């Protein structure tokens, strides 16, 4: 109402001035009035984001490489351009993080882990992390059923001035790494936009590394090159944006991904021979339909069909079957319906339900084809109690019905969530509690070598408090955020080895995780120069809390206590200089916290320069990236050395 009154005053003031022809006038300098809109449904309690400009600054090519710059996120990277990349948020396993692609979950009931290395950044507009959950209008129940979510949001083109937009990018880098991406968007009419996207990546991946023949600095070393690390991948998308009417919208997406990856072996003494290969095909169709029924109700439907093919080949494995030759075919049918009711400006009620069906076919490793019917329902209340106080709460009911080898199993669980948030101008404080549980994956339950059909779901309790401050000055902006959190996991699923090939999956032990996240962001303008910076610091201690365990009070594997990340850039007209750094503390590769299992800390520094040039018909952009500037050899996962110093040049043409 206040903004509306200002507009009316300016409007009538303009009319009065125009009517006074006989009065001498003076043109004043224009001013910009800034106001921060508070949206009841966009109050994520704790989270982080990397916008398009941040993704360009850090100079990486995949979502998996970029996600490590999100606060509280650890990326497990098995090395190389084609190495598998999974995430761990606040010390919890990757199975506890939901990965969304344009708001709809990426499901993987086979292993429960989504490989973020296969998602390109070229058409991504932003990465958004939410601890606990996002609170957008009409969320899916599956997004509410995880401890945290990462949403990969692709770009919707702005075609207000032109009916067509096209872009092509070519890149070449170290170790014969070649990339190509093509984007095309066409506005058919005022209600329909169609976009297509294609990218291709190929790399030999034969980067050098140093093999150490002992733990001491004076031990013998040998310079070698990474072998069996070649990758070829391609990805195609087709999107259709249709504004059916003023109150109805529809978005359709077709996605296809193919990769042929060689998997290098772990670097061990005297044996590094590997012939492992991984083939992957993924095709999915998804749609999002939104209808604003009237001033009180809003309805959304999300639908998805997903087919995933994985072929793992290891001819050197001595198992009496002439090696390993596993083929998995995973089918998903998914439907979400959500409706919201807004009786007043300050109160929302939302009911959302997901129904999906999974079926896994495997050629050798399972006695039958596991199937799972799932129904997740949530009732959500968003309420502005007072002018500055917000309440979000929901109760989630999860129902799973598994069928395998003529046996059935039904599991259900109620999960509460509560968040209280106070917002006063530049200061925000929030507190949330959330209970979730994780169903065992098909591999954990039914995989012939180590599956156990008697596994119970993991049960996780989260508690977090966050305080943040932001201030906009005349030419600058400053933001500070501090979060304290505590996670408690029971019925943790772990693998216990029977021998070198056979493992058993059991519920064993309890895990307690506590820590803090600190974020500092700043930007300023000095004449034609723009300086931007972001610092993330995370402290986390995740320990085995089962008194009967041999590793009682020891840190969990691959759980560093401290992680720093820095993103900074300096812009001058059409030139941008970027710098980023990742510092990771010591961590252990196995549950026993002994010296032999210790992985040393490391720091990875990278820089890039971007130059843009515009002509009447075309925009040119040149990017040069230099990664791991100091050629530091380190391992994220033991015995999988990461690339040393490497560089890339990229040229992008936009029409």
């Amino acid at each position: 109402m206040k903004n509306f009154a200002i507009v009316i005053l300016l409007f009538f003031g303009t009319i009065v001035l125009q009517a006074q022809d006989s009065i001498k006038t003076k043109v004043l300098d224009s001013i910009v009035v800034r106001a921060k809109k508070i949206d009841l449904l966009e109050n994520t309690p704790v989270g982080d984001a990397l916008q398009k400009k941040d993704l360009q600054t850090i100079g990486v090519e995949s979502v998996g490489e970029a996600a490590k710059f999100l606060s509280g996120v650890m990326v497990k990277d098995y090395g190389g351009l084609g190495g598998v990349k999974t995430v761990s948020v606040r010390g919890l396993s990757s199975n506890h993080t939901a990965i969304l692609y344009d708001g709809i979950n990426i499901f993987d009931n086979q292993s429960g882990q989504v490989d973020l290395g296969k998602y390109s950044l070229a058409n991504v507009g932003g990465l958004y992390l939410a601890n606990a959950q996002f609170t957008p209008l009409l969320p899916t129940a599956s997004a509410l059923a995880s401890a945290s979510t990462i949403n990969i949001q692709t770009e919707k083109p702005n075609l207000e001035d032109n009916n067509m937009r096209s872009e092509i990018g070519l890149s070449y880098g170290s170790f014969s790494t070649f990339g190509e991406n093509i984007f095309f968007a066409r506005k058919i009419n005022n209600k329909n936009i169609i976009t297509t996207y294609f990218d291709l990546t190929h790399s030999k991946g034969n980067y050098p590394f140093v093999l150490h023949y002992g733990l001491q600095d004076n031990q013998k070393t040998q310079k070698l090159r990474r072998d069996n690390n070649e990758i070829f991948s391609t990805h195609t998308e087709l999107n259709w944006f249709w504004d059916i009417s003023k109150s109805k919208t529809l978005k359709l997406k077709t996605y296809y991904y193919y990769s042929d990856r060689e998997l290098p072996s772990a670097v061990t003494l005297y044996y590094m021979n590997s012939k492992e290969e991984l083939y992957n095909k993924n095709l999915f169709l998804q749609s999002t339909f939104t209808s604003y029924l009237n001033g009180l109700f809003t309805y959304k439907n999300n639908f998805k069909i997903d087919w995933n093919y994985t072929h793992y080949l290891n001819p050197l494995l001595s198992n009496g079957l002439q090696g390993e030759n596993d083929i998995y075919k995973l089918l998903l049918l998914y439907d979400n319906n959500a409706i919201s009711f807004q009786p007043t400006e300050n109160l929302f009620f939302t009911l959302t339900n997901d129904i999906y069906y999974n079926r896994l076919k495997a050629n050798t490793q399972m006695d039958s084809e596991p199937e799972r019917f799932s129904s997740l329902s949530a009732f959500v209340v968003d309420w502005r109690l007072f002018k500055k106080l917000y309440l979000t709460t929901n109760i989630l009911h999860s129902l799973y019905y598994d069928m395998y080898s003529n046996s059935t199993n039904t599991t259900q669980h109620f999960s509460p969530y509560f968040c209280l948030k106070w917002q006063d101008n530049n200061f925000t404080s929030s507190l949330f509690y959330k209970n979730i549980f994780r169903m065992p994956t098909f591999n954990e339950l039914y995989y012939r070598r180590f599956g156990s059909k008697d596994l119970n779901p993991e049960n996780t309790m989260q508690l977090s408090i966050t305080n943040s401050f932001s201030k906009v000055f005349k030419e600058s902006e400053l933001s500070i955020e501090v979060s304290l959190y505590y996670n408690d996991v029971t019925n943790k699923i772990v693998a216990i080895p029977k021998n070198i090939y056979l493992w058993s999956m059991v519920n064993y032990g309890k895990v307690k995780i506590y820590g803090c996240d600190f974020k500092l962001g700043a930007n300023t303008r000095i004449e034609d120069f723009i300086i931007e910076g972001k610092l993330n610091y995370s402290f986390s201690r995740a320990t085995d809390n089962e008194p009967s365990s041999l590793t009682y009070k020891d840190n969990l594997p691959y759980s560093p206590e401290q992680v720093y990340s820095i993103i900074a850039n300096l812009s001058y007209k059409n030139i941008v200089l970027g710098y980023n750094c990742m510092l990771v503390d010591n961590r252990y590769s196995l549950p026993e916290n002994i010296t032999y299992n210790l992985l040393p800390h490391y720091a990875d520094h990278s820089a890039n320069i971007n130059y843009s040039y515009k002509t009447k018909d075309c925009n040119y952009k040149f990017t040069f990236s230099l990664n791991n500037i100091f050629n530091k050899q380190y391992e994220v996962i033991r015995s999988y050395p990461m690339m040393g110093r490497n560089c890339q040049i990229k040229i992008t043409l936009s029409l």
Side-chain angles (χ1 to χ4, degrees):
M1 183 62 70
K2 182 178 179 181
N3 292 338
F4 179 75
I6 293 174
V7 172
I8 295 298
L9 289 173
L10 291 175
F11 176 75
F12 282 105
T14 304
I15 294 177
V16 172
L17 289 174
Q18 290 177 346
Q20 297 174 347
D21 294 336
S22 61
I23 299 177
K24 184 178 180 180
T25 62
K26 180 180 180 180
V27 179
L28 300 176
D29 293 336
S30 61
I31 62 172
V32 177
V33 179
R34 294 184 179 179
K36 186 174 182 181
K37 179 183 177 183
I38 299 176
D39 190 338
L40 177 63
L41 294 178
E42 297 296 339
N43 284 284
T44 299
V46 184
D48 199 7
L50 291 172
Q51 306 292 347
K52 183 71 173 181
K53 62 179 182 179
D54 299 317
L55 299 175
Q56 294 173 340
T57 299
I58 57 181
V60 297
E61 296 298 317
S62 76
V63 172
E65 294 170 314
K68 62 186 179 182
F69 290 96
L70 294 169
S71 180
V73 173
M74 274 297 299
V75 175
K76 293 184 178 180
D77 193 330
Y78 288 81
L81 187 64
V84 175
K85 297 173 177 61
T86 61
V87 296
S88 170
V89 180
R90 290 187 166 185
L92 297 174
S93 67
S94 59
N95 309 71
H96 285 285
T97 301
I99 308 299
L100 282 61
Y101 200 80
D102 285 344
I104 301 180
N105 287 60
I106 299 172
F107 296 92
D108 188 346
N109 279 342
Q110 177 192 335
S111 66
Q113 304 186 65
V114 177
D115 178 14
L116 293 181
K118 73 180 195 179
Y119 295 97
S120 170
L121 283 176
N123 69 326
V124 172
L127 292 180
Y128 303 93
L129 166 71
N131 293 292
Q133 59 194 43
F134 286 116
T135 54
L137 179 65
L138 302 172
T140 65
S142 297
L144 304 179
S146 298
S148 58
T149 58
I150 294 178
N151 187 25
I152 306 169
Q153 189 67 46
T154 59
E155 285 189 287
K156 180 181 179 181
N158 183 359
L159 299 179
E160 294 181 358
D161 299 327
N162 299 302
N163 291 330
M164 185 173 63
R165 182 185 137 198
S166 59
E167 182 177 291
I168 181 171
L170 298 173
S171 64
Y172 186 79
S174 302
F175 321 118
S176 302
T177 302
F178 171 78
E180 175 186 8
N181 62 272
I182 300 172
F183 174 81
F184 177 78
R186 174 74 178 181
K187 184 167 72 172
I188 300 175
N189 52 44
N190 291 333
K191 293 186 176 182
N192 291 273
I193 295 176
I194 292 179
T195 68
T196 59
Y197 176 80
F198 169 83
D199 70 48
L200 179 149
T201 301
H202 177 262
S203 176
K204 290 185 177 180
N206 55 341
Y207 55 88
F209 68 95
V210 176
L211 174 63
H212 294 264
Y213 285 85
L215 299 177
Q216 303 299 324
D217 294 336
N218 59 354
Q219 295 292 325
K220 180 183 176 181
T221 61
Q222 184 179 5
K223 292 184 178 181
L224 301 170
R225 281 191 174 271
R226 208 70 168 109
D227 190 24
N228 199 61
N229 199 30
E230 189 170 354
I231 177 176
F232 172 83
S233 68
T234 182
H235 151 226
T236 304
E237 278 190 39
L238 174 64
N239 296 284
W240 178 21
F241 303 88
W242 182 15
D243 294 329
I244 302 172
S245 65
K246 291 183 179 180
S247 61
K248 296 180 177 64
T249 62
L250 176 66
K251 179 182 178 181
L252 301 175
K253 178 188 290 289
T254 302
Y255 175 101
Y256 178 75
Y257 172 83
Y258 169 81
S259 70
D260 177 2
R261 289 183 274 183
E262 295 179 338
L263 302 179
S265 65
V267 174
T268 57
L269 297 181
Y270 313 115
Y271 182 82
M272 283 172 288
N273 187 24
S274 175
K275 297 296 181 182
E276 295 176 75
E277 292 187 71
L278 183 67
Y279 303 90
N280 184 243
K281 300 175 186 177
N282 183 210
L283 171 67
F284 69 74
L285 310 174
Q286 71 181 38
S287 65
T288 299
F289 171 76
T290 306
S291 176
Y292 301 92
L293 303 177
N294 51 44
L296 298 177
F297 293 93
T298 306
Y299 168 76
K300 180 185 284 187
N301 172 266
N302 293 295
F303 179 77
K304 185 174 186 177
I305 301 176
D306 194 331
W307 177 79
N308 202 326
Y309 171 90
T310 302
H311 184 190
Y312 170 75
L313 185 64
N314 183 7
L316 300 183
L317 182 63
S318 301
N319 59 355
L321 299 174
Q322 297 181 343
E324 192 88 4
N325 186 13
D326 297 343
I327 297 176
Y328 301 93
K329 298 177 183 179
L330 188 65
L331 174 66
L332 166 75
L333 301 176
Y334 169 80
D335 187 61
N336 161 258
N337 290 278
I339 189 166
S340 72
F341 172 60
Q342 185 182 9
T344 69
E345 180 183 358
N346 297 323
L347 183 62
F348 275 86
F349 297 103
T350 302
L351 183 63
T352 181
N353 171 258
D354 290 9
I355 296 177
Y356 56 94
Y357 165 76
N358 276 103
R359 184 187 68 199
L360 177 64
K361 290 185 177 181
N363 64 332
T364 59
Q365 297 303 334
M366 293 182 179
D367 298 319
S368 180
E369 296 177 6
E371 297 175 276
R372 176 174 292 172
F373 288 93
S374 307
S375 175
L376 284 74
S377 303
F379 179 67
V380 187
V381 178
D382 293 282
W383 188 9
R384 188 187 331 221
L385 298 171
F386 304 103
K387 184 178 180 180
K388 301 175 182 179
L389 187 64
Y390 302 83
L391 169 68
T392 299
T393 184
N394 63 252
I395 185 72
L396 172 75
H397 176 253
S398 304
L399 175 64
Y400 298 95
Y401 181 72
D402 283 12
M403 296 180 294
Y404 179 75
S405 188
N406 297 320
S407 64
T408 61
N409 183 47
T410 302
T411 305
Q412 60 179 330
H413 186 80
F414 284 94
S415 302
Y417 169 75
F418 172 89
C419 176
L420 201 61
K421 185 170 184 176
W422 185 75
Q423 188 166 356
D424 181 18
N425 296 325
N426 302 320
F427 181 77
T428 301
S429 182
S430 64
L431 169 70
F432 80 77
Y433 165 85
K434 186 173 186 178
N435 170 263
I436 60 110
F437 84 132
R438 178 179 81 81
M439 275 293 291
T441 66
F442 284 165
N443 282 0
E444 291 169 337
L445 288 168
Y446 311 120
Y447 195 78
R448 186 179 298 165
R449 290 187 176 179
F450 55 75
S452 175
K453 291 185 287 184
D454 298 324
L455 286 176
N456 294 318
E458 288 186 3
N459 199 317
T460 302
M461 184 274 289
Q462 296 175 274
L463 186 65
S464 176
I465 184 170
T466 301
N467 293 301
S468 62
F469 172 83
S470 62
K471 179 71 174 179
V472 177
F473 303 94
K474 184 177 180 181
E475 296 290 345
S476 305
E477 185 174 359
L478 175 68
S479 63
I480 301 173
E481 182 175 292
V482 179
S483 295
L484 302 176
Y485 62 87
Y486 172 75
N487 300 329
D488 190 307
V489 185
T490 58
N491 285 332
K492 184 172 177 59
I493 300 173
V494 296
I496 305 297
K498 291 183 176 180
N499 58 45
I500 193 170
Y501 297 119
L502 298 178
W503 296 62
S504 62
M505 304 302 299
V506 297
N507 291 114
Y508 180 76
K510 299 180 180 180
V511 171
K512 291 189 181 296
I513 306 167
Y514 61 88
C516 71
D517 293 332
F518 172 79
K519 294 189 296 183
L520 174 65
N523 64 75
T524 186
R525 175 188 288 272
I526 304 175
E527 296 182 349
D528 291 332
F529 291 90
I530 299 175
I531 304 172
E532 299 174 289
K534 177 183 177 182
L535 167 67
N536 284 340
Y537 168 76
S538 296
F539 171 85
S540 178
R541 181 162 172 79
T543 59
D544 180 354
N545 203 56
E546 174 58 52
S548 62
S549 172
L550 295 177
T551 58
Y552 179 57
K553 295 299 182 181
D554 280 357
N555 287 357
L556 296 186
Y558 299 108
S559 299
E561 290 192 351
Q562 299 184 82
V563 177
Y564 300 80
S565 69
I566 300 171
I567 301 175
N569 62 68
L570 172 65
S571 305
Y572 175 74
K573 295 182 178 180
N574 56 346
I575 300 176
V576 179
L577 299 176
Y579 164 80
N580 64 79
C581 177
M582 175 68 64
L583 298 94
V584 179
D585 200 2
N586 298 337
R587 62 260 185 248
Y588 295 92
S589 60
L590 292 173
E592 296 82 4
N593 290 181
I594 59 177
T595 302
Y596 182 79
N597 295 330
L598 183 69
L599 285 174
H601 63 273
Y602 66 86
D604 188 344
H605 304 262
S606 300
N608 64 78
I609 180 170
N610 298 270
Y611 173 73
S612 302
Y613 177 71
K614 296 183 179 180
T615 64
K616 182 179 179 181
D617 301 320
C618 186
N619 297 334
Y620 301 88
K621 183 178 180 181
F622 304 89
T623 303
F624 176 77
S625 302
L626 182 63
N627 304 310
N628 200 349
I629 297 173
F630 300 105
N631 200 32
K632 173 69 174 180
Q633 179 172 311
Y634 63 92
E635 298 173 356
V636 177
I637 301 296
R638 179 177 286 280
S639 302
Y640 286 86
M642 301 294 292
M643 284 190 291
R645 186 184 299 114
N646 63 92
C647 62
Q648 181 192 69
I649 185 170
K650 184 174 183 178
I651 302 174
T652 305
L653 288 75
S654 302
L655 299 175

